[in-house]
């Protein structure tokens, strides 16, 4: 199969075959990461711009490492969204950088659809590194990769995604990807943080963490933003912990070989205790390692062609 | 030297008199003088209207012409040219300008601009409250004397219920309607599209239908309390329609409008974050569209108005959260009504034209929207058989923020006539 | 279409190549055979087996994919599939023999040498090919050649191997035949 896309904007628009093709390609790059020299010359001469309007040390580092290991030239542009509203629009900024002859933008922005705006207006590849609460496709791909690596498959697995589903791009991208690959997905959180009609995306909704965890193969805990409390979504963070924090007792309701995931960074003691984050059921660090391989695969598939 | 304009052989359609006949219309000294078959009078100008439909000039009771303050988006001149291209001969411009139209001098300014540069009749709506701040009443009596045609704080709902009550009471002595933009902003908050499955998928903050319905419910209660005339702008949800229907059945003096775009596009269409789909109220669900159409059939909604809201390319090229709400509508309205309402058999052509002509005229209390002898000759002639492609570069509006770019639409306005003068003629 | 080699020709060529490699007097323990993806891989495995049969000991055998090292990626419109590279032992101070099916411009071999050097520091790298068809674009030559075939650039050499194609043969095709 050929992967003939200019951009990677989300998982929703990918076919099952495309997702599997990216994951298979990522295997080759995972192997490169185990070599004594972890660098290949594939993207020599290509310039990738990391355009980050939201601070995200982890995602940016992972992309940067992937770009470096493919021998691309890298330009980093970080700005707070507030400074951009003062004058230059996103499109102005991108057009200015484009005039310097670059090949790809990796965009992180707080507004849904900003990668789509650039993709429509610019002739170069756009990779969505997270757009508001919309999508975070490379995160979902690395999650899918890690699940496949550990469980050998995705089809038929029961997966619970727990936390602030309403504001989570990680949840949305994973829901699309997991459903396309045949998993049974549950989402769990307080009703104020479950977005309307999310069940139409193919998931089952739970308000009880105990019910959601019963019999699952994978549990993915999402990061909770502290400010949700101030906006009236939650009475308090401590009440959230009472109801939605993971502990051993609750985890015992899942399959004995359950694996615990988290997109990071973990609020230890809030989403889950350090014991579980660092415990034998946790595959949080595998997610991080695989992130580089998956991003190398995406960069390769988008850029190593005409 | 003969004088007069003869419109020959068209299908003349006048909802007010229920006329639907192939006949001639003779205009002299600005007024319609004769409507009959085979008029045999001498004339100076002839329009061959065979295979065309001759209707009263369209009336749009809800447009934003942006002057004064945002002449980069639209002016009275450019907006009225767009109106003429769309077949509109009278438009009512909303007062949410900069400064807002809350003073008689500003009402006069609009009339002066319209007289010197305008192409169609422009009737200013003035604010309900001073500076549109929702705190004190505007000088409504003086605004009427200066020529205000209605009152509205469009863009904002008058949240203070006591003040809205006083406004409704006060206009009773002026016999002018209050036009309410119904939106509880504590519910719509940061929302940018309809709240539902598609806002969930897009990760965009939603505007619940209830933001409109809660506001409509209160305004209906106040209209009943005060026994005053209330007009509801851009109704967009199924439950709003049910509330209005019930209110009308209990004798509340309420009228309502719907936009062509809310009849044509649902939130399902917002898939690629095209900011030309960002509009307030937002595009709702398919079930809402069904009920809006039904409401036209049973007269729950009286009027189709465009809420023409021009914004520059620069503004609409921003991201979906930053981009302003609003779409232009004057130049596509008639065609969209033909497509969504007439072709889909919601209304007959005659009924549909009534919602664009005589119905708004009656709400506004103006002597327009009819083709009748001895009445000002505001007439639109369109070709029902001609379809056209909506193209950015052809808009006469200064802005091109239309969600219909690239659509092929039926029915093309050929002539727009005001007081017997052709103010718009389509290119061949 | 012309058949340049049949199953028996290929068998004999590989036998000869294997013996030529051994003639240079190497310890099997110091020898590594690396096949270039895709059709070099089965050829390497077969040579490795021949050497094992002859010497009683199997040389280290690896596979190598050069996709990520190609210098012409931007000139091909489609997306080549990245296949695995598997050299599960140290190549430091070893004698490495690269095997490919056809030697043409030399660009594949250039890339393969780059990959090897990223894996370690071999004592020596040699090149064995089943067919050398000429038209080099780089200063590269094979140490061991199964068959030299003068060709025009309008022609194309196709090697079929049992493990991938279900049969062993080498064909010479006109360009027009290839396009069909
Ligand atoms: Zn409004």
């Amino acid at each position: 199969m050929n992967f003939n896309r200019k951009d990677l904007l989300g998982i929703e628009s990918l076919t099952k075959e495309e997702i599997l093709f990216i994951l298979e390609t990522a295997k080759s790059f995972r192997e490169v990461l185990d070599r004594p020299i972890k660098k290949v010359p594939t993207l020599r001469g290509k310039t990738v711009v990391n355009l980050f309007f939201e601070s995200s040390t982890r995602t940016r580092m992972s992309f940067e490492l992937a770009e470096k290991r493919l021998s691309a030239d890298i330009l980093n542009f970080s700005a707070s969204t507030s400074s951009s509203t003062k004058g230059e629009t996103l499109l102005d900024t991108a057009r200015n950088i484009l005039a310097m002859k670059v090949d790809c933008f990796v965009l992180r922005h707080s507004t849904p659809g900003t990668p789509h705006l650039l993709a429509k207006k610019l002739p170069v590849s756009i990779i969505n590194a997270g757009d508001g609460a919309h999508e975070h496709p490379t995160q979902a791909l690395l999650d899918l990769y890690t699940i496949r690596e550990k469980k050998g498959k995705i089809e038929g697995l029961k997966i619970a995604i727990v936390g602030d589903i309403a504001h989570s791009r990680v949840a949305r991208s994973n829901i699309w990807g997991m459903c396309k690959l045949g998993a049974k997905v549950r989402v769990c959180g307080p009703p104020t943080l479950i977005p309307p009609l999310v069940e139409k995306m193919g998931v089952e909704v739970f308000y009880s963490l105990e019910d959601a965890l019963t019999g699952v193969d994978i549990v993915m805990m999402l990061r909770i933003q502290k400010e949700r409390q101030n906006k009236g979504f939650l009475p308090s963070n401590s009440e959230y912990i009472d109801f939605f924090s993971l502990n051993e007792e609750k985890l015992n309701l899942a399959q004995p070989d359950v694996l615990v995931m988290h997109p990071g960074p973990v609020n230890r003691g809030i989403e889950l205790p350090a014991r579980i984050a660092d415990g034998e059921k946790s595959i949080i660090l595998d997610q991080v390692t695989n992130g580089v391989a998956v991003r190398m695969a995406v960069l390769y598939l988008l850029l190593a062609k005409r | 030297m003969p004088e007069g304009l003869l419109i020959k052989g068209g299908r003349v359609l006048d909802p007010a008199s229920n006329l639907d006949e192939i006949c001639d219309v003779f205009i002299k000294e600005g007024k319609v003088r004769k409507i009959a078959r085979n008029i045999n009078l001498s004339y100076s100008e002839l329009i061959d209207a065979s295979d065309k439909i001759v209707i009263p000039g369209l009336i749009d009771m809800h447009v934003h012409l942006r002057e004064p303050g945002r002449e980069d988006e639209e002016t009275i001149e450019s907006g009225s040219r767009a109106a003429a291209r769309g077949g509109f001969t009278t438009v009512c411009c909303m007062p949410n300008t900069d400064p807002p139209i809350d003073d008689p001098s500003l009402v006069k300014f609009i009339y002066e601009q319209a007289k010197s540069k305008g192409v169609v009749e422009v009737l200013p709506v003035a604010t309900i409250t001073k500076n549109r701040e929702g705190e004190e009443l505007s000088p409504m009596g003086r605004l009427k004397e200066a020529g205000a045609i209605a009152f509205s704080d469009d863009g904002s709902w008058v949240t203070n219920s006591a003040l809205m009550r006083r406004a409704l009471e006060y206009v009773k002595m002026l016999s002018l309607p209050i036009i309410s933009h119904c939106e509880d902003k504590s519910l719509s908050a940061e929302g940018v599209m309809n709240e539902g499955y598609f806002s969930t998928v897009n990760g965009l903050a939603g505007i619940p239908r209830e933001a409109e319905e809660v506001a409509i419910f209160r305004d209906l209660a106040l209209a009943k309390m005060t026994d005053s005339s209330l007009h509801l702008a851009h109704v967009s949800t199924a439950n709003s329609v049910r509330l209005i229907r019930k209110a009308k059945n209990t004798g509340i003096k309420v009228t309502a409008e719907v936009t062509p775009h809310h009849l044509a596009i649902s939130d399902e269409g917002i898939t690629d974050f095209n900011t030309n789909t960002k509009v307030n109220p937002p595009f709702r669900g398919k079930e809402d569209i069904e009920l809006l159409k039904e409401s036209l059939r049973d007269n729950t909604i009286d009027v189709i108005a465009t809420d023409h809201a021009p914004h520059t390319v620069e503004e609409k090229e921003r991201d979906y959260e930053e981009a302003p709400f609003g779409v232009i509508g004057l130049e596509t309205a008639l065609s969209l009504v033909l497509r969504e309402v007439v072709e889909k058999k919601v209304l007959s052509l005659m009924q549909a034209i009534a919602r664009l002509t005589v119905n708004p005229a009656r709400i506004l209390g103006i002597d327009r929207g009819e083709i009748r002898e001895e009445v000002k000759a505001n007439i639109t002639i369109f070709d029902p058989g001609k379809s056209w492609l909506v193209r950015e570069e052809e808009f006469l509006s200064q802005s091109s923020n239309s969600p219909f770019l690239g659509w092929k639409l039926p029915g093309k306005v050929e002539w727009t006539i005001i007081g017997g003068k052709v103010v718009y003629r389509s290119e061949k | 279409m012309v058949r340049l080699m049949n199953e028996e020709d290929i068998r004999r060529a590989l036998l000869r190549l294997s013996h030529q490699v051994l003639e240079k007097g190497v310890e099997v323990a110091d020898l590594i055979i690396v096949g270039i993806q895709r059709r070099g891989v089965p050829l390497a495995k077969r040579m490795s087996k021949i050497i094992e049969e002859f010497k009683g000991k199997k040389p280290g055998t690896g596979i190598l994919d050069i996709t990520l090292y190609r210098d012409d990626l931007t000139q091909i419109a489609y997306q080549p599939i990245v296949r695995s590279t598997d050299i599960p032992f140290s190549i430091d101070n070893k004698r490495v023999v690269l095997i490919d099916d056809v030697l043409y411009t030399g660009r594949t071999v250039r890339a393969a040498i780059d990959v090897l050097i990223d894996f370690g520091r071999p004592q020596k790298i040699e090149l064995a090919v089943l067919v050398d068809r000429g038209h080099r674009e780089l200063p590269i030559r094979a140490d061991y050649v199964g068959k030299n075939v003068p060709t025009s650039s309008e022609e194309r050499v196709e090697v079929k191997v049992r493990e991938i194609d279900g049969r062993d043969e080498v064909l010479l095709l006109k360009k027009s035949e290839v396009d069909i």
Side-chain angles (χ1 to χ4, degrees), chain B residues 62 64 154-155 181 233-234 280 307:
Chain B
H62 193 144
H64 298 270
D154 187 46
H181 165 117
H234 41 60
N280 188 18
D307 194 5

Side-chain angles (χ1 to χ4, degrees), chain A residues 12 85 87 89 91 95 109 111-114 116-117 120-121 133-134 172 176 195-197 200-201, chain B residues 190 195-204 271-275 314 316-322:
Chain A
E12 187 193 0
T85 51
T89 64
L91 202 55
R95 279 177 177 149
H109 201 285
T111 303
T114 40
H116 307 66
L117 173 67
K120 206 170 2 171
K121 302 278 182 181
H134 180 226
R172 283 176 179 76
W176 292 126
L197 299 174
K200 275 180 76 180
M201 290 175 77
Chain B
E190 313 278 294
E195 181 174 307
Y197 175 67
F198 296 99
S199 65
T200 289
V201 166
N202 288 336
L204 289 167
T271 51
D272 65 344
F273 300 93
N274 175 359
T275 54
E314 291 72 24
K316 281 290 190 180
E317 267 191 355
R318 288 179 172 265
D319 68 55
Y320 210 87
E321 285 176 357
E322 278 186 356

Side-chain angles (χ1 to χ4, degrees), chain B residues 62 64 94 96 152-156 179-183 233-234 257 280-281 307:
Chain B
H62 193 144
H64 298 270
M94 283 296 168
N96 60 335
S152 178
D153 274 5
D154 187 46
S156 307
I179 302 175
S180 182
H181 165 117
C182 286
E183 177 188 5
H234 41 60
E257 75 195 25
N280 188 18
D307 194 5

